[in-house]
Amino acid sequence: MEPFRIHILGCGSALPTLRHYASAQVVEVRGKLFLVDCGEGTQVQLRRSRLRFTKISAVFISHLHGDHCFGLMGMLSTFGLLGRTAPLTVYAPAQLFEVLEVQMNVFCRDGHGRSDFGFDVKCVPLDSSVQKVVYEDRSLTVTTIPLEHRIGCCGFLFREKPQRPHIRRDMMDFYGIPISQADNIKNGADWMTADGETVSNDKLVRPADQPRSYAYLSDTRYMPSLHEAIAGVNTVYHESTYADDNVAMAEKYFHSTARQAATVARDAGAGQLLLGHYSSRYDDETVLLREAKEVFENSRLTAEGDVFDV
């Protein structure tokens, strides 16, 4: 099975500490890399992760608070300096592109006033109020998930498409079936031998891998119905800014506690929960993990440099 991994670049909140960078992750799906949020320091963390810059094909920005997007312009500029030529698509609230255009015109021109960015940046505006497929390729969809924050904000659901079954090469060889027939057999065809025997398709294939899914739920207050949008997800990242001692703060500033994050994961029937976006008031984040585990046992803290299999 090809990898589906989450690379944590930053898991701090709006007041990052020396222990944490601002929000940023790379979602790796079947050899493709997608950057989700781009707080300050993201490009530094990308270098440390040893992920190839050129393989990042799209960036998804959840909302326009600085700890989720202030690193974008610097990263784009660095991409250009490193000789990137492949186009990059940025999915973000429309207002970001107004600012980005000004920054690119100011900082990314040569001595003759010509753009020397080196690659095309395609801007796709997001509507954070609707659940909608915004990206699709042969093996994956990315869907926006409306969240409730102080400004428009959305999460992202990465979901593999169902795959075709696997060919049983031993059975192909046994019945002398030419490899040119593999595509037909993957599509459900039986095989008839030279003696007129019909070999049923289920003898020639192994079941396809179950599609995997990952939900990134950025800044949001607790939403009792949020689990419905991510039902059955394999892995969910849900902000957990506060512990139980600051429930009132979470409500006031439209954030969540670790216990509330765990409640969403439990109600969604998730496989595992990743906690992050920690408030700088917690020197020891194990209090967040302990409270989450009381609701959902398979909860895990995230830290820079961590890699999680979906």
Side-chain angles (χ1 to χ4, degrees):
M1 185 180 294
E2 294 186 75
F4 191 156
R5 303 187 184 108
I6 312 303
H7 300 260
I8 306 298
L9 305 181
C11 54
S13 62
L15 292 174
T17 67
L18 293 176
R19 293 183 297 112
H20 292 302
Y21 281 78
S23 296
Q25 298 182 6
V26 169
V27 179
E28 177 187 0
V29 188
R30 296 179 171 269
K32 298 182 286 284
L33 300 183
F34 305 94
L35 180 66
V36 184
D37 279 339
C38 190
E40 290 179 87
T42 294
Q43 62 173 306
V44 174
Q45 289 298 90
L46 274 172
R47 288 181 180 274
R48 289 174 175 165
S49 73
R50 299 190 180 278
L51 293 166
R52 291 176 58 189
F53 282 27
T54 54
K55 291 191 69 175
I56 295 175
S57 58
V59 179
F60 296 87
I61 302 295
S62 62
H63 65 295
L64 298 187
H65 278 159
D67 56 321
H68 294 259
C69 62
F70 276 175
L72 181 59
M73 184 60 223
M75 187 190 71
L76 295 178
S77 178
T78 297
F79 281 4
L81 292 173
L82 291 175
R84 182 188 178 106
T85 58
L88 181 73
T89 304
V90 179
Y91 299 83
Q95 301 96 311
L96 176 65
F97 302 130
E98 301 171 13
V99 177
L100 196 60
E101 183 177 7
V102 172
Q103 291 178 321
M104 290 169 62
N105 286 334
V106 171
F107 297 116
C108 299
R109 292 194 173 274
D110 62 20
H112 303 285
R114 297 181 299 241
S115 172
D116 63 351
F117 217 50
F119 63 96
D120 292 331
V121 178
K122 180 182 179 182
C123 301
V124 179
L126 297 178
D127 182 350
S128 61
S129 67
V130 298
Q131 185 168 334
K132 179 182 178 182
V133 174
V134 293
Y135 172 91
E136 184 172 11
D137 60 29
R138 292 178 60 185
S139 60
L140 177 75
T141 61
V142 182
T143 304
T144 53
I145 306 294
L147 302 175
E148 293 183 5
H149 195 42
R150 285 171 290 165
I151 62 174
C153 182
C154 64
F156 301 102
L157 176 61
F158 292 77
R159 190 182 296 278
E160 286 183 313
K161 292 180 178 179
Q163 302 296 307
R164 295 190 300 174
H166 302 284
I167 288 290
R168 288 190 58 182
R169 188 57 186 264
D170 59 334
M171 298 301 287
M172 296 279 285
D173 293 341
F174 180 79
Y175 287 105
I177 304 173
I179 195 64
S180 61
Q181 295 301 309
D183 203 53
N184 290 334
I185 290 171
K186 282 187 175 184
N187 287 330
D190 298 329
W191 176 254
M192 181 173 290
T193 69
D195 297 331
E197 176 189 357
T198 298
V199 183
S200 62
N201 183 263
D202 59 4
K203 291 183 178 180
L204 304 175
V205 297
R206 290 184 291 104
D209 299 323
Q210 286 295 312
R212 296 163 292 181
S213 55
Y214 172 63
Y216 174 86
L217 304 179
S218 178
D219 297 19
T220 184
R221 66 178 174 184
Y222 173 61
M223 299 170 61
S225 62
L226 181 57
H227 68 278
E228 297 173 2
I230 60 168
V233 70
N234 293 102
T235 298
V236 55
Y237 170 92
H238 192 299
E239 74 124 283
S240 51
T241 307
Y242 298 109
D244 287 348
D245 59 339
N246 278 289
V247 173
M249 291 280 284
E251 181 67 20
K252 179 179 179 181
Y253 292 108
F254 287 74
H255 284 295
S256 297
T257 67
R259 187 179 301 277
Q260 291 169 338
T263 301
V264 172
R266 180 199 65 195
D267 293 348
Q272 67 175 332
L273 168 66
L274 307 181
L275 302 171
H277 201 267
Y278 314 122
S279 169
S280 59
R281 70 186 63 236
Y282 299 105
D283 294 325
D284 182 2
E285 287 133 12
T286 57
V287 60
L288 303 173
L289 181 62
R290 183 174 63 251
E291 292 178 0
K293 279 180 169 289
E294 290 174 1
V295 176
F296 186 77
E297 177 59 30
N298 198 18
S299 298
R300 305 174 70 178
L301 295 174
T302 61
E304 286 75 5
D306 285 348
V307 180
F308 298 93
D309 287 317
V310 170

